[in-house]
């Protein structure tokens, strides 16, 4: 990872913290294109009664509105958690070129219901007509997991 990736990943982690503060799931995402943050997303779909309101999908929607396009080719999505299959698919269909994520889907997170299952984004990516570059930002994994732990301490899914 380069200096720019580190800077943008930190913003994605900050979005995850914001999501928790607003009563959402501990995930944050941003879209960057041509060296500029185009959009930011938090995961408050449960609060808004929107099952598609994940951080990544929210950031993609906002980026498309901002750029007045449905084609985000050349853009990078930075995410605090590796995205679910839905968000991965939206990233694919929007033309995102690169995804950088701080925390992998782990069996523990899957068993807690934080993901829809154990579908592997790398395997899905290989089967797509166009492959996105997928980058695991391992140096940020503990930061991302700390946000998940904060969310769990605040009640997680059981929070009213």
């Amino acid at each position: 990872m380069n200096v720019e990736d580190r800077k943008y990943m930190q913003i994605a982690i900050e979005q995850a913290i914001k999501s928790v503060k607003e009563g959402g799931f501990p995930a944050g995402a941003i879209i960057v294109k041509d060296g500029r943050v185009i959009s930011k997303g938090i995961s408050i779909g449960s609060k808004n009664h929107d099952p598609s309101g994940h951080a990544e999908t929210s950031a993609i929607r906002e980026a498309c509105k901002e750029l007045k396009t449905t084609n985000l080719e050349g853009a990078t999505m930075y995410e605090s958690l590796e995205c679910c299959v839905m968000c991965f698919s939206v990233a694919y269909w929007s033309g995102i070129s690169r995804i950088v994520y701080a925390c992998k889907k782990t069996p523990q997170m899957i068993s807690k219901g934080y993901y829809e299952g154990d579908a592997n984004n790398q395997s899905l990516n290989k089967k797509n007509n166009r492959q996105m570059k997928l980058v695991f930002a391992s140096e940020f994994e503990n930061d991302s997991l700390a946000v998940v732990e904060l969310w769990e301490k605040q009640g997680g899914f059981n929070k009213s």
Side-chain angles (χ1 to χ4, degrees):
M1 284 185 49
N2 61 38
V3 174
E4 292 294 304
D5 284 338
R6 287 182 183 89
K7 175 177 83 172
Y8 296 132
M9 184 52 71
Q10 187 59 51
I11 297 170
I13 300 283
E14 290 167 6
Q15 286 299 109
I17 294 167
K18 179 180 178 183
S19 187
V20 171
K21 286 180 179 175
E22 292 192 21
F25 187 74
I30 67 168
I31 307 293
V32 175
K33 187 168 183 184
D34 299 327
R36 179 171 77 91
V37 175
I38 304 300
S39 65
K40 298 177 181 178
I42 60 175
S43 192
I44 57 171
S46 59
K47 273 185 68 176
N48 295 337
H49 311 290
D50 177 4
S52 69
H54 295 193
E56 300 87 350
T57 302
S58 297
I60 291 167
R61 284 184 187 133
E62 188 61 35
C64 288
K65 286 179 188 174
E66 174 69 22
L67 297 175
K68 295 179 178 30
T69 185
T70 57
N71 183 356
L72 298 177
E73 186 178 342
T76 297
M77 179 164 62
Y78 294 86
E79 49 192 36
S80 62
L81 298 173
E82 182 177 6
C83 58
C84 70
V85 171
M86 176 187 71
C87 294
F88 181 82
S89 297
V90 173
Y92 173 81
W93 285 105
S94 72
I96 293 278
S97 297
R98 186 170 171 255
I99 297 175
V100 181
Y101 57 97
C103 185
K104 288 183 177 183
K105 289 182 194 179
T106 65
Q108 181 183 16
M109 293 175 86
I110 292 166
S111 71
K112 289 181 176 183
Y114 300 169
Y115 287 97
E116 73 290 339
D118 65 357
N120 182 292
N121 291 343
Q122 286 76 15
S123 296
L124 293 173
N125 197 41
K126 288 176 185 171
K127 294 177 182 179
N128 284 339
N129 291 330
R130 174 187 64 82
Q131 280 74 53
M132 293 178 282
K133 184 172 184 182
L134 306 178
V135 179
F136 172 44
S138 61
E139 65 192 78
F140 286 92
E141 189 166 37
N142 288 334
D143 295 334
S144 181
L145 287 171
V147 180
V148 173
E149 288 172 14
L150 171 67
W151 174 74
E152 288 173 337
K153 286 178 185 173
Q154 292 181 357
F157 285 127
N158 297 320
K159 191 175 178 179
S160 53

